[in-house]
Amino acid sequence: MGDDIKFRQQLLVIDENLGTEEVEALKFLCSDLLSFKNLEAVESAQDIFQLLMAKDLLNKEDTFILAELLYRIRCHFLLQKLGYTKETVQENLPWKGKVSRYRQMLYELSEDITSEDLKRAMFLLRDQLPKKLTNMSSLELLTFLEKQDHLAQNNLQILEKICMDISPDLLKTVNKYKMERAQQESSLPVKETASFSHHISEGLFHSGGGVRLLTSSQETPIKSLGSNIYDSGSLREHAGSVHFIAARQDDKAVNVMQGISELSQEQPARISNPESKTEKLKTYKMDGPHRGYCLIINNFSFTGTLQKRRGSNKDAEMLAQVFTWLGLDVKTYTDKTSVEIKNLMQEWRSSKDHRDRDCFVCCILSHGESGLVYGIDEQEVTIRTIMSYFTARQCPQLAEKPKLFFIQACQGKEIQQAVYIEADAQNPDLLPIQQLVLPSESIPEEADFLLGMATVGGYASFRHVQHGTWYIQALCNKLQLLVPRGEDILSILTEVNEDVSKRADNLGKKKQMPQPAYTLRKKLIFPVPRSPPPSQQQ
């Protein structure tokens, strides 16, 4: 009884973290496992789980089918809820995988179809589509073609014609699938073709041949971008839990390696690996009537022993200018106690105004320690508490929307600096290793969060008393420079890492490295503002 409840609790948690797009993707990937009639009635992930359990494809003893589905739609952060990692799913796919290569191909194709491609495809098929149907997703279009017997594993002609007409590049995915299938069928005994081809196509890189950037030996729900400051320090035992990247990142560099040249001589066919296909992430919707709110809490003057944060007003001013330029409605609050900070989070969590907005941004400028910030009363507020007000359950108006938190505060040691340099910390000693709170531990375990920390755990961040903090000034500068170039937020934060890492105090001895962590499911790209950036308006 207890195990049954625990199993269903796991399913509920997963369901709460899946949005409408993910549910649609799950329905499509289950099309060969469940009937179209049953799938038509599906309204939530729970409905899919129930159908899979009814066919004994999913039960408390064997949850691999769900792990595979989450892996296919790249919700890797949810795998740990089932006791899996990305790597363990990959290792088991050759023997346990249920989603056919044909279904994978169609899903990959849908990921590559742009909104313009979809409009053109619907125009070409207007006579075949229901008259009242004016809008559908790429997955819905593919499902419609299957239901009308215009698309099947051995009937790809119409799909190929559509791809050729709307975007010939889409044919590469279809042709790759056809080539793999033809090679497998021509080189293997008929009765063994299906199983062996599935094993080969799924497992080609699983013995360790693939190149995957931004991953390590284990996948966790939160990915972190940081520096090699940990290489000889506190995180050595955590290898595989926190993900680092170099100071500079090219968008194309994070894609997995494209195929291989040959198989070994023991294998009769040359097959490219479907798992090595470039993972083209979707982008968050950022074209709504309102971009979103940006809260700035600027704690400058404290009531106890903490020093005034001279230069912080410069940060708050610059953040307000930049996020206003990016289209957000900025609200600035000055000198808030710990209780007032929590009350503000509660107030904004309950706001109905998030419904028609694309995202939410919160910037907190204060003194702090590992995993927390201080109110002006010098009482602690954990970063996790602040962020937890905006989970999908607590703030459904922001469900499936990106929520960005930027924290300018020390996460440990205060260092006495020359007159122009101060540290945003209280404790004069470096926190013991066991007291460090990683950014990944501050983020709620659900999708669509990003936490930008001014510094890594246990270290101070620095503030110029006239020009503001290194981190916030670098963040504002890079947003102004790179948003007009169409860069996504993670690429921008990598540039911020590089910028801050090159800075030092007057003696060249004091350094700082920011560390973002995130559970974003898609790329976040701010639309390019029509007006020039604030730095060019002065």
Side-chain angles (χ1 to χ4, degrees), residues 270-511:
R270 293 175 57 195
I271 307 168
S272 59
N273 175 30
E275 300 301 335
S276 67
K277 182 183 185 294
T278 298
E279 293 190 6
K280 293 187 177 180
L281 293 179
K282 292 182 178 180
T283 58
Y284 284 103
K285 179 179 179 295
M286 295 289 284
D287 58 358
H290 305 285
R291 187 74 63 240
Y293 284 107
C294 171
L295 310 186
I296 300 174
I297 299 177
N298 177 25
N299 281 353
F300 172 79
S301 182
F302 294 77
T303 59
T305 59
L306 290 177
Q307 297 177 354
K308 290 183 178 180
R309 300 184 61 257
R310 293 180 296 166
S312 186
N313 291 338
K314 181 69 174 179
D315 284 346
E317 177 185 337
M318 182 63 76
L319 285 169
Q321 291 177 356
V322 170
F323 281 108
T324 298
W325 171 67
L326 291 174
L328 286 92
D329 297 319
V330 176
K331 308 293 182 182
T332 301
Y333 303 91
T334 303
D335 290 346
K336 295 299 177 183
T337 66
S338 58
V339 172
E340 288 172 335
I341 291 174
K342 294 176 184 178
N343 288 342
L344 272 176
M345 298 301 107
Q346 173 67 36
E347 176 185 336
W348 281 99
R349 177 189 75 177
S350 305
S351 173
K352 301 298 182 184
D353 291 340
H354 296 306
R355 180 185 299 275
D356 297 323
R357 299 178 188 270
D358 298 328
C359 66
F360 175 76
V361 178
C362 179
C363 307
I364 298 182
L365 317 175
S366 188
H367 287 296
E369 296 293 347
S370 185
L372 59 89
V373 295
Y374 288 108
I376 61 167
D377 55 350
E378 302 187 8
Q379 296 300 306
E380 303 173 355
V381 183
T382 67
I383 296 169
R384 186 177 183 87
T385 295
I386 292 169
M387 299 180 73
S388 65
Y389 282 96
F390 300 95
T391 62
R393 176 180 292 179
Q394 296 295 327
C395 185
Q397 303 288 344
L398 285 173
E400 302 179 46
K401 299 177 183 180
K403 296 163 278 283
L404 314 183
F405 292 78
F406 297 101
I407 309 295
Q408 169 54 51
C410 278
Q411 292 298 290
K413 184 179 181 181
E414 179 180 2
I415 303 174
Q416 295 299 321
Q417 298 287 347
V419 65
Y420 293 109
I421 298 291
E422 295 179 351
D424 279 336
Q426 179 187 34
N427 190 346
D429 299 315
L430 179 64
L431 285 176
I433 296 305
Q434 63 268 25
Q435 294 183 24
L436 296 182
V437 178
L438 305 180
S440 59
E441 296 172 354
S442 295
I443 296 188
E445 293 180 356
E446 66 167 62
D448 307 314
F449 278 93
L450 180 143
L451 171 60
M453 300 290 293
T455 184
V456 295
Y459 289 81
S461 60
F462 301 111
R463 170 173 33 84
H464 192 287
V465 298
Q466 294 177 341
H467 304 307
T469 58
W470 295 356
Y471 176 64
I472 294 298
Q473 294 304 308
L475 174 65
C476 292
N477 291 338
K478 292 303 180 181
L479 285 169
Q480 294 179 82
L481 176 66
L482 299 176
V483 166
R485 299 181 185 178
E487 296 282 0
D488 68 282
I489 190 64
L490 296 184
S491 298
I492 292 172
L493 291 180
T494 304
E495 293 279 352
V496 172
N497 276 13
E498 182 183 34
D499 185 307
V500 175
S501 70
K502 291 180 178 178
R503 302 191 184 204
D505 69 328
N506 294 337
L507 299 177
K509 295 181 178 180
K510 305 298 186 287
K511 304 288 287 184

Side-chain angles (χ1 to χ4, degrees), residues 183-194 196-197 200 268-269:
Q183 289 175 336
Q184 292 161 3
E185 290 179 349
S186 64
S187 61
L188 298 171
V190 174
K191 66 178 181 179
E192 297 179 1
T193 298
F196 184 82
S197 63
I200 290 294

Side-chain angles (χ1 to χ4, degrees), residues 196-238:
F196 184 82
S197 63
H198 182 71
H199 289 188
I200 290 294
S201 65
E202 292 289 358
L204 204 54
F205 276 29
H206 299 157
S207 59
V211 175
R212 292 179 175 84
L213 303 184
L214 288 181
T215 65
S216 61
S217 59
Q218 287 185 325
E219 185 73 6
T220 61
I222 288 99
K223 301 169 184 162
S224 294
L225 299 162
S227 77
N228 58 7
I229 194 167
Y230 290 112
D231 287 352
S232 60
S234 63
L235 291 188
R236 180 166 296 183
E237 61 183 303
H238 295 277

